[in-house]
């Protein structure tokens, strides 16, 4: 018997198995959608704007359902914006629906739970609250914040500590300029703050801020308990204008510049005097923690030859008070004035780690010696809370020759060597060599017949180039002035038209309007904006009915209801403009 395999049995089984696995995976991973509602910000001023956001996890709404708002809360824009689904995992996503809302009535307004359908199933959000505060502090939510920080609150006199001033600017604002950071210097020596801060982004109370950190150092001048601060700075910000356009998103509204001086905190610092016990005789007010090293060159020389000594001091503290360390034994040496230099500068004023200071000094041996004596200096250590004296290690050298006893002997020694001061000549005699003045008599200079600075030149107004250049500059200036005048005229003309339209829109939001007054204003607004479309016709009909129809006087004097008012305002927002 010839058995042939069935060609479709294996593929059909594979398809059945794949479908079963997909069904099980879908059933296992399917999650019930979740909806939630939030308001950002949750507190505004009367006439301000907020965003009402519905977030849908694990699903999308079937259609944009109309938003249900309380009587005193209105839509600033009739159409919502839908956010893209955001992936939170392989099988998880969330989408958002956002409305812009506003209110003119101070108080706490509760926005009820909103119902929407996802795959035909109704879901409800949570209720939210919008706070409208009619007080000056409600507008300060976008103003910058400033704080003052120090590394320690208890220090010694002369101790150097880092100090930081932080400026926080709301992300909805734009920082134009930050002036110099200033701190009162009554009891402290404060290094100048840098003009370029360290920038970062932080979150304070779920609100993102741009942080600017200015770092410096300070030291106390006298003991006692003192207050540091507050820090001050002039900040120029662009803040969203309070006169916002109702058709625009808040991020697209106009900005207005403000010059502000943010408030700042104070810090109380306890300054302790330096102790008298154990104070060295050569202590010169240096406070900190240091290390010292020394190098010298050359190490093989004759009596009277100079040696260059370099001393490096590393550590943290008030480097401004540091002076050249003293040589322990100076009898056999002539010392010249030292020079101070910085070997390394930190990137930040407050970064005292790794600071270096250097001293260079020329010393001359007066006799044969085998080493350079140690150099030492004293300071007070805030960490050890005691005085410390540091010494360098002696440097081995080899000095040859005989030390002359008198200047006459030194002169005789110089004469015996043919006037060459090799050994035994001291620097004092070297410095008394007379200065030779050169006599220049064989170089002649050819003088011009007329000095170039005094030569006669033609007057500028007789120069053709001068006249052409000035004529071109005058013509360009005239064109700029004419263009500026024309631009200002066009801007004022446009502003007059827009101002009338904006006033009509504000009048439409006034409280206590009757139907006749409201529809009259609505008709004027539609004519000013040149609105067209079928939805404008009912507004015009109501205007005719309540203003000119006989017997409609009583009905026209009735106040318009909030629902009817909101419906007409939404129609005016969405109506198309007549194309010219």
């Amino acid at each position: 018997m010839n058995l042939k395999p069935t060609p479709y049995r294996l593929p059909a089984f594979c398809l059945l198995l794949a479908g079963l696995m997909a069904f099980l995976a879908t059933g296992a991973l399917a999650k019930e959608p979740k909806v939630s509602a939030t308001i950002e910000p949750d507190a505004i001023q009367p006439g301000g704007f907020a965003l009402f956001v519905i977030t849908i996890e694990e699903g999308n709404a079937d259609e944009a359902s109309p938003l249900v708002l309380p009587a005193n809360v209105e839509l600033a824009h009739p159409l919502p914006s839908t956010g893209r689904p955001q992936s939170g995992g392989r099988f998880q996503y969330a989408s958002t629906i956002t409305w812009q809302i506003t209110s003119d009535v101070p108080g706490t307004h509760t926005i009820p739970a909103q119902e929407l359908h996802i795959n035909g199933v109704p879901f409800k959000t949570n209720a939210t609250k919008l706070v409208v505060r009619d007080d000056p502090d409600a507008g300060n939510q976008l103003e910058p914040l400033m704080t003052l920080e120090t590394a320690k609150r208890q220090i010694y006199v002369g101790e150097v500590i880092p100090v930081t001033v932080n400026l926080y600017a709301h992300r909805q604002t734009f920082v134009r300029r930050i002036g110099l950071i200033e701190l009162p210097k009554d009891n402290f020596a404060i290094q100048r703050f840098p003009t370029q801060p360290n920038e970062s982004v932080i979150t304070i109370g779920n609100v993102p801020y741009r942080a600017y950190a200015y770092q410096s150092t300070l030291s106390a001048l006298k003991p006692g308990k003192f207050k540091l601060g507050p820090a001050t700075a002039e900040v120029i910000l662009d803040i969203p204008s309070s006169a916002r356009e109702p058709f625009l998103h808040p991020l697209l509204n106009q900005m207005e510049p403000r010059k502000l001086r943010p408030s700042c905190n104070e810090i109380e610092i306890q300054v302790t005097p330096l102790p008298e016990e154990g104070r060295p005789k050569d202590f010169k007010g240096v406070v900190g923690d240091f290390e010292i090293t020394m190098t010298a060159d050359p190490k093989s020389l004759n009596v009277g030859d100079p040696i260059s000594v370099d001393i490096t001091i590393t550590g943290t503290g008030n480097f401004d008070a540091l002076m050249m360390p003293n040589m322990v034994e100076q009898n056999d040496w002539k010392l010249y004035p030292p020079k101070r230099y910085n070997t390394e500068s930190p990137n930040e004023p407050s970064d005292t780690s790794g600071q270096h200071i250097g001293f260079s000094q020329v010393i001359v041996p007066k006799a044969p010696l085998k080493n350079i004596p140690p150099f030492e200096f004293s300071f007070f250590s805030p960490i050890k809370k005691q005085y410390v004296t540091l010494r360098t290690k002696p440097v081995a050298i080899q000095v040859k020759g005989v030390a002359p006893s008198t200047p006459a002997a030194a002169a005789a020694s110089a004469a015996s060597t043919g006037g060459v001061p090799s050994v035994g000549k001291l620097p004092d005699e070297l410095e008394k060599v007379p200065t030779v003045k050169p006599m220049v008599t064989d170089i002649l200079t050819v003088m011009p017949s007329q000095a170039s600075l005094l030569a006669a030149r033609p007057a500028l107004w007789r120069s053709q180039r001068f006249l052409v250049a000035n004529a071109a500059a005058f013509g360009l200036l005239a064109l700029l002035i004419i263009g500026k005048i024309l631009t200002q005229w066009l801007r004022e003309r446009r502003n007059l038209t827009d101002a009338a339209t904006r006033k009509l829109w504000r009048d439409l939001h006034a409280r206590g309007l009757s139907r006749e007054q409201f529809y009259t204003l609505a008709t004027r607004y539609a004519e000013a904006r040149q609105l067209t479309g079928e939805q404008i016709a009912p507004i015009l009909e109501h205007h005719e009915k309540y203003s000119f129809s006989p017997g409609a006087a009583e009905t026209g004097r009735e106040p318009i209801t909030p629902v009817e008012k909101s419906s007409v305002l939404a129609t005016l927002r969405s109506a198309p403009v007549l194309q010219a």
Side-chain angles (χ1 to χ4, degrees):
M1 179 182 293
N2 186 11
L3 296 177
K4 295 183 180 180
T6 304
Y8 300 102
R9 181 177 300 171
L10 185 59
F13 176 78
C14 293
L15 291 174
L16 179 60
L17 181 60
L20 180 60
M21 293 178 63
F23 175 79
L24 293 176
T26 304
L29 296 176
K31 295 182 179 179
E32 183 179 355
K34 297 180 180 179
V35 295
S36 59
T38 57
I39 294 179
E40 176 64 30
D42 57 355
I44 61 174
Q45 284 185 306
F49 297 89
L51 297 179
F52 181 82
V53 183
I54 295 180
T55 303
I56 307 170
E57 299 180 7
E58 304 294 341
N60 287 316
D62 294 342
E63 60 182 6
S65 305
L67 194 62
V68 179
L69 297 175
N72 296 320
V73 180
E74 301 176 354
L75 284 174
H77 196 278
L79 299 178
S81 62
T82 304
R84 291 183 176 182
Q86 300 177 354
S87 176
R90 188 175 180 182
F91 299 102
Q92 299 177 359
Y93 63 90
S95 58
T96 58
I97 307 175
T98 305
W99 289 267
Q100 188 180 1
I101 59 177
T102 182
S103 177
D104 296 328
V105 181
T108 300
H109 307 286
T110 301
I111 299 179
Q114 308 295 316
E115 181 176 321
L116 65 162
H117 291 76
I118 301 175
N119 298 329
V121 179
F123 291 87
K124 280 192 175 184
T125 68
N126 56 292
T128 54
K129 292 184 178 181
L130 175 65
V131 179
V132 182
R133 294 198 299 263
D134 192 6
D135 63 281
D137 294 336
N140 295 337
Q141 57 183 344
L142 297 181
E143 292 188 4
L145 310 174
M146 183 179 286
T147 61
L148 177 64
E149 300 176 358
T150 57
K152 299 170 65 176
R153 299 293 180 93
Q154 186 171 358
I155 61 176
Y156 288 94
V157 174
E159 182 180 356
V160 177
I161 62 171
V163 57
T164 304
V165 175
N166 298 301
L167 180 69
Y168 304 102
H170 198 283
R171 287 295 298 270
Q172 293 185 15
T173 63
F174 175 75
V175 179
R176 283 194 179 187
R177 185 179 68 86
I178 302 176
L180 294 178
I181 305 295
E182 297 180 356
L183 272 176
K185 301 179 181 179
D186 299 335
N187 304 299
F188 301 93
I190 303 174
Q191 189 176 358
R192 188 181 184 91
F193 284 89
T195 57
Q196 296 297 328
N198 297 325
E199 299 185 24
S200 61
V201 177
I202 65 172
T203 301
I204 303 176
N206 296 327
V207 178
Y209 283 85
R210 289 187 299 273
Y212 303 89
Y214 294 85
Q215 298 177 336
S216 183
T217 58
L218 66 83
S219 60
L221 301 177
K222 57 184 178 180
K225 183 180 290 185
F226 307 106
K227 286 187 178 180
L228 177 66
T232 58
E234 184 180 85
V235 182
I236 299 179
L237 291 176
D238 283 343
I239 297 180
S241 174
S242 57
R244 301 183 180 185
E245 291 293 339
F247 301 102
L248 295 178
H249 190 275
L251 296 178
L252 301 179
N253 272 286
Q254 295 183 353
M255 310 283 280
E256 59 182 14
R258 288 189 187 179
K259 184 185 293 185
L260 304 170
R261 283 191 171 271
S263 59
C264 182
N265 61 301
E266 296 179 345
I267 296 178
E268 190 174 78
I269 296 181
Q270 178 68 45
V271 183
T272 305
L274 298 179
E276 295 292 337
E277 181 181 358
R279 177 177 295 191
K281 295 181 179 179
D282 61 344
F283 178 70
K284 299 176 181 178
V286 180
V287 181
D289 290 275
F290 308 94
E291 295 180 357
I292 185 171
T293 58
M294 181 182 72
T295 59
D297 189 67
K299 294 182 175 62
S300 179
L301 64 157
N302 297 323
V303 174
D305 290 343
I307 302 175
S308 177
V309 174
D310 290 301
I311 294 178
T312 302
I313 300 177
T314 307
T316 61
N318 53 347
F319 276 79
D320 293 337
L322 282 175
M323 300 179 66
M324 176 69 185
N326 299 320
M327 181 184 282
V328 176
E329 299 176 0
Q330 304 181 8
N331 295 333
D332 297 329
W333 298 87
K334 179 176 179 57
L335 307 180
Y336 286 85
K339 294 183 179 180
R340 170 175 170 156
Y341 59 91
N342 294 326
T343 60
E344 184 177 341
S345 298
N347 295 327
E348 299 292 339
S350 61
D351 183 14
T352 55
S353 61
Q355 273 191 308
H356 297 70
I357 197 74
F359 295 93
S360 178
Q361 187 174 30
V362 175
I363 61 176
V364 178
K366 298 179 181 179
L369 300 170
K370 294 184 179 181
N371 57 64
I372 299 176
F375 286 74
E376 69 176 14
F377 82 105
S378 300
F379 60 89
F380 179 81
S381 172
I383 297 177
K384 299 179 181 179
K385 299 182 179 181
Q386 63 182 12
Y387 293 95
V388 178
T389 299
L390 291 183
R391 278 193 176 190
T392 63
K393 296 180 179 180
V395 178
I397 59 174
Q398 186 178 5
V399 181
K400 300 178 182 179
V402 179
S405 57
T406 60
S413 175
S416 64
T417 57
V420 180
S422 59
V423 179
K425 181 121 183 195
L426 295 178
D428 292 339
E429 285 74 26
L430 290 174
E431 295 172 356
K432 295 179 181 179
V433 178
T435 304
V436 180
K437 296 182 180 180
M439 300 291 293
V440 182
T441 58
D442 57 343
I443 300 178
L444 299 179
T445 303
V446 179
M447 300 296 294
S449 59
Q450 186 178 14
S452 60
L453 294 178
L454 300 179
R457 291 193 176 96
L460 288 176
W461 56 84
R462 295 182 181 178
S463 172
Q464 185 176 3
R465 292 182 179 179
F466 176 78
L467 296 176
V468 172
N470 278 271
F474 179 78
L476 180 61
L477 179 61
L479 289 176
L480 291 175
I481 294 175
I482 294 174
K484 180 67 175 178
I485 295 174
L486 181 60
T487 303
Q488 186 68 22
W489 179 77
L490 292 174
R491 183 180 301 170
E492 291 179 356
R493 184 175 181 182
R494 183 173 62 254
N495 289 340
L496 288 175
T497 305
D498 295 343
T501 306
R502 288 196 297 268
K503 185 178 184 305
L504 286 172
W505 183 257
R506 288 195 300 269
D507 293 342
L508 283 170
H509 286 77
R511 303 188 187 94
L513 293 177
S514 63
R515 281 192 170 90
E516 178 184 0
Q517 293 172 336
F518 180 78
Y519 281 103
T520 300
L521 293 173
T523 302
R524 292 178 183 174
Y525 180 81
E527 293 174 353
R529 290 284 312 278
Q530 297 184 354
L531 301 180
T532 183
E534 298 178 355
Q535 58 268 43
I536 298 298
I539 298 177
L540 302 179
E541 292 176 0
H542 282 78
H543 171 59
E544 295 287 340
K545 173 183 176 181
Y546 294 124
S547 299
F548 305 105
S549 298
E554 293 296 331
T555 309
R557 284 195 292 268
E558 295 179 357
I560 188 168
T561 64
V563 176
E564 184 178 0
K565 180 180 179 181
S566 299
S567 176
V568 174
L569 292 177
T571 301
L572 293 175
R573 293 191 193 100
S574 59
V577 179
L578 179 65
Q579 301 294 330

